[in-house]
Each structure stands twice: as structure tokens, then as C-alpha cells.
Amino acid sequence: MMTLRLGYVPLIDAAPLIVAQELGFAAEEGLTLDLVRLGAWAQARDMLGAGLIDGAQMLVPMPVAQALGLGPSLPAMDLVMVLSHGGQAVAVNRDLERRLRDAGHDFAFDDARAARMALRGVAAGRRLRVGVPFPFSTQSELVRHWLTGCGFPPADLDLITVPPPMMADAVARGDVDAFCAGEPWASFAVERGLAALLLPGIAIWAAPPEKGLVLLRGFAEARPAETGALMRAVWRAGRWLDDPDHRGTAAEILSRPAYLNLPPDLAERGLTGRLTISGRGEMRKVPGFVAFNAGAASFPWKSLAALFAARIANRHGLDRQAAMARAMDHFRTDLYRLHLRPAGAPLPGASQRVEGALAQDRSVAAERGGMILRADAFFDGFSFDPASAN
């Protein structure tokens, strides 16, 4: 057995790595995964760059930022596959919850327009401090896209970096008024009586790519056999996870002391999309709250790299076209095709697309036969075509 050392942050979207090891998908590929629990996303990046781990679960925009020179000087990092879509929730503290309810907001949990206008109304005239897990994160992009489109002045919006397991404590201390984080940490804040869930991430963007498997380029090139074995093991674990009948078992595994170290109920909420949104015990069912593989969720579309690069470049005064080109080079659709074709993975005919164009799941042509692509529409109709972006 070859041992690979992988870093992860304790979230439900670490499930493909954990399940690959625990249920034998890695062993079937001749691998043992030494899973290293990390406390923050910068730690994942820095340990990978220093060669202390062989691969890492990482926020999808992080290798984009690295490609644009917005991080420490480290060896080139490539996202070889996406680990999950969705799984995030926006939470507000108890004061904002009270204000929203007093203003008549119903916490319907499925209307991003109504939620943002209600939040804008109760936050008028005050700075809104929103916790996100990292400056270059899908959560950061979701919050910016959602709030700045309703007239919320960027100057009145502070995004504050807080590691996911510490979000509840940040609310308790009064460091943030709201946050966007992956499960189970939003539910954890609800369980502690500190927050209410206002909106799932998929209500803002139907298929927000959340975490990816990131390797050093030098590793992927020098050790293709191990790279392929790892990718196939993780892909098979994601396929297993997308069976609804397996989510309860997955919650039991993830909840173990070595991983999330939380009651299984908290992990199961995010995995099943059956969420308790407030201290009142209100429940919301969110179909498709998190996906690991289905609908080409694991494919590392180059157009996603371009979308994140364009937005980051705008904020940092970088050339958009150059940024998009550099970022797209680090989303390795070539490695995905090479290593997952033998496993029978459905492979899109193209490596980029118009992001946000699908209001519903769609059947499309694949390398062999057809495949289903997940709906990926934004709540406000936004779309992004890298071929025409300038």
C-alpha cells in the first residue's frame, strides 16, 4: 500500500476524502490515506506548499488566488477535481434575527431576493460584519454577489475571516453579525442558541463549487500513478455519497472523534438538507443542499477558474484577461479526463461553459453517450461566459 498524507478541515464536504479511506475505496486503488485534521485554510495551503502533505481539501478559489500571485510564494498548485458543491448556509445573530422577524421576514429559506432586501432594511445605517472562512472562498463570493446587488454599499460590508469551527464563537463574542459557512458549523451555531439560518448557499447560486482536491503540480506530474489512484478513490467515494440512502451512514462516520467530533445529528442535517434553522425548532428541507459527484459536480470546469479569477482581479486591480488565462491553467481538466476515464466517469465534451446558464438540470453530450449537468443558475440571472468576458 502507498500512503498519501492529505489535509482537511472538519466540514461535511471533507466526506469524499474520509469515506474514501474508511469504506475502502482508497484501499481498492492500493492507497492508504493519512488524513490530517487542520484548523484553518491557510494552514492547508502552506502545508501543501511546504511538502508536509501530499494533497489538500481546499476552497475552490484558493488555487486561483495563488495563480494570481495573491498568496505566499509557493510551488504551483492545481485543482484536479471538485469535491463538493453547496453545503453552505448564511446565518445571522439573534439581534438580526429579532429585527428581521419584527420587520415581517418569514425565514422562508428559499428566496434570496427577499432575504437580502429584508437584511438590507434592518441593517440600514450600520456596518454589517459577515464572517467568511477565507478571503478567497466561495462563501466570500456568494456574500458579495448576493448583497452588493441590492444597493448594499460595499463600504458598509465587512468580510471578516474566521475558521469554520470558530464561527459560533465569533458570533458569541460579537465579532461578526452574520456569517456564511459550510455545514455543520452553521447548524452548530443554531444548536448553541447563537444564530438563525437565513439562506442556503444554493439559493444564491444553484451549484456553488465549494471545495476541491488540490495537488502540487510537481506531484501530479512526477507521480501519475498515485495521482490517478487518489482521484479514482475520491470520485468513487463521491458517487457513493450521492446515494441518499448512504447519507446517514456518512454522518456516523464523519461525526467520529477523529473527524468532526460532533453529534451525528449535526452532520446529518447538512448531508440530508434537513436543517433546523432557529432556536424555535423551525425546519427547512433543502433538496440538493450538497452534492459530491452527481451532475458533473466533480468536474473542474476551466470556466469556473475564469469566473473566480475575473472577480478577484477586479477587486485587486489585476488585468482580467491575464488573470483568467493563468487561473484556467490550474484547473486540470486534462488530468480529470486522463485518470477518471478508466473508472467510467462521465466526461463533458468541452472543458469550459457559460457559468450560470442552466436553470434546470440538462442532458448533454459526453465523450461517450450523454450525461446530466446540474442546474447552476444564479438567483438574479447572472451568467458568465469566459469566451466573451473582457
Side-chain angles (χ1 to χ4, degrees), residues 7 9 38 40-49 53 56-58 62:
V9 172
L38 306 175
W41 293 113
Q43 187 181 12
R45 176 199 63 199
D46 296 347
M47 288 185 68
L48 180 61
I53 52 178
Q57 171 207 25
M58 202 174 288
M62 288 182 69

Side-chain angles (χ1 to χ4, degrees), residues 5 38 41-56 58 66 72-77 214-217 219:
R5 189 171 165 85
L38 306 175
W41 293 113
Q43 187 181 12
R45 176 199 63 199
D46 296 347
M47 288 185 68
L48 180 61
L52 300 175
I53 52 178
D54 298 308
M58 202 174 288
Q66 277 297 113
S73 180
L74 296 171
M77 297 180 181
V214 178
L215 306 176
L216 292 182
R217 179 167 294 182
F219 178 97

Side-chain angles (χ1 to χ4, degrees), residues 127-138:
R127 297 181 69 82
L128 185 66
R129 300 164 302 164
V130 181
V132 295
F134 199 69
F136 305 112
S137 62
T138 304

Side-chain angles (χ1 to χ4, degrees), residues 15-379:
L17 303 183
I18 295 169
V19 165
Q21 173 60 22
E22 292 288 342
L23 294 189
F25 296 107
E28 290 174 4
E29 292 286 345
L31 298 177
T32 296
L33 304 184
D34 178 12
L35 300 176
V36 182
R37 177 170 165 151
L38 306 175
W41 293 113
Q43 187 181 12
R45 176 199 63 199
D46 296 347
M47 288 185 68
L48 180 61
L52 300 175
I53 52 178
D54 298 308
Q57 171 207 25
M58 202 174 288
L59 293 155
V60 169
M62 288 182 69
V64 173
Q66 277 297 113
L68 304 188
L70 299 173
S73 180
L74 296 171
M77 297 180 181
D78 289 339
L79 188 145
V80 297
M81 62 190 300
V82 175
L83 294 176
S84 63
H85 282 211
Q88 324 90 342
V90 176
V92 295
N93 66 15
R94 295 298 302 277
D95 177 59
L96 280 174
E97 178 192 3
R98 178 185 58 78
R99 291 170 180 260
L100 285 164
R101 292 189 189 279
D102 288 347
H105 186 62
D106 60 4
F107 283 77
F109 213 58
D110 60 357
D111 189 337
R113 288 184 176 84
R116 74 174 181 176
M117 294 309 298
L119 186 60
R120 178 73 185 103
V122 300
R126 55 188 287 187
R127 297 181 69 82
L128 185 66
R129 300 164 302 164
V130 181
V132 295
F134 199 69
F136 305 112
S137 62
T138 304
Q139 289 90 339
S140 172
E141 297 302 330
L142 286 171
V143 170
R144 292 177 190 276
H145 186 90
W146 176 50
L147 290 181
T148 58
C150 67
F152 208 108
D156 287 348
L157 180 63
D158 287 337
L159 298 189
I160 299 170
T161 299
V162 181
M166 299 180 184
M167 285 293 186
D169 288 339
V171 174
R173 291 192 304 267
D175 294 342
V176 298
D177 308 304
F179 66 84
C180 182
E183 281 290 277
W185 300 111
S187 288
F188 182 66
V190 173
E191 198 70 7
R192 288 182 55 185
L194 298 169
L197 304 188
L198 181 61
L199 207 64
I202 63 169
I204 300 170
W205 183 4
E210 177 58 23
K211 305 298 188 313
L213 176 61
V214 178
L215 306 176
L216 292 182
R217 179 167 294 182
F219 178 97
E221 292 178 348
R223 300 169 66 176
E226 292 99 322
T227 296
L230 174 61
M231 291 176 67
R232 287 188 295 273
V234 171
W235 180 80
R236 290 189 174 109
R239 185 175 58 176
W240 182 89
L241 281 160
D242 274 334
D243 185 331
D245 292 339
H246 295 162
R247 294 289 175 99
T249 301
E252 293 285 346
I253 295 170
L254 293 175
S255 299
R256 294 173 184 172
Y259 301 123
L260 299 186
N261 193 26
L262 290 171
D265 169 67
L266 283 178
E268 191 169 3
R269 293 182 196 182
L271 286 167
T272 62
R274 294 191 293 267
L275 299 171
T276 300
I277 68 162
S278 75
R280 300 181 178 191
E282 297 164 292
M283 300 286 296
R284 299 289 184 269
K285 181 69 174 76
V286 187
F289 178 72
V290 63
F292 299 97
N293 200 340
S298 59
F299 190 73
W301 295 97
K302 289 184 176 292
S303 43
L304 286 173
L307 170 57
F308 287 126
R311 293 187 168 191
I312 293 170
N314 286 344
R315 292 198 296 272
H316 289 266
L318 304 176
D319 180 83
R320 277 169 55 98
Q321 289 296 325
M324 290 164 53
R326 285 199 298 271
M328 292 169 78
D329 186 51
H330 290 264
F331 275 44
R332 300 298 300 273
T333 55
D334 58 331
L335 294 182
Y336 189 97
R337 296 179 189 280
L338 173 67
H339 293 306
L340 291 181
R341 188 178 286 115
L347 299 173
S351 291
Q352 65 182 52
R353 61 179 181 174
V354 178
E355 296 295 333
L358 299 182
Q360 297 179 331
D361 292 356
R362 180 179 298 175
S363 178
V364 299
E367 279 192 4
R368 290 180 293 191
M371 63 185 299
I372 301 296
L373 296 185
R374 294 185 71 214
D376 72 336
F378 287 81
F379 78 102

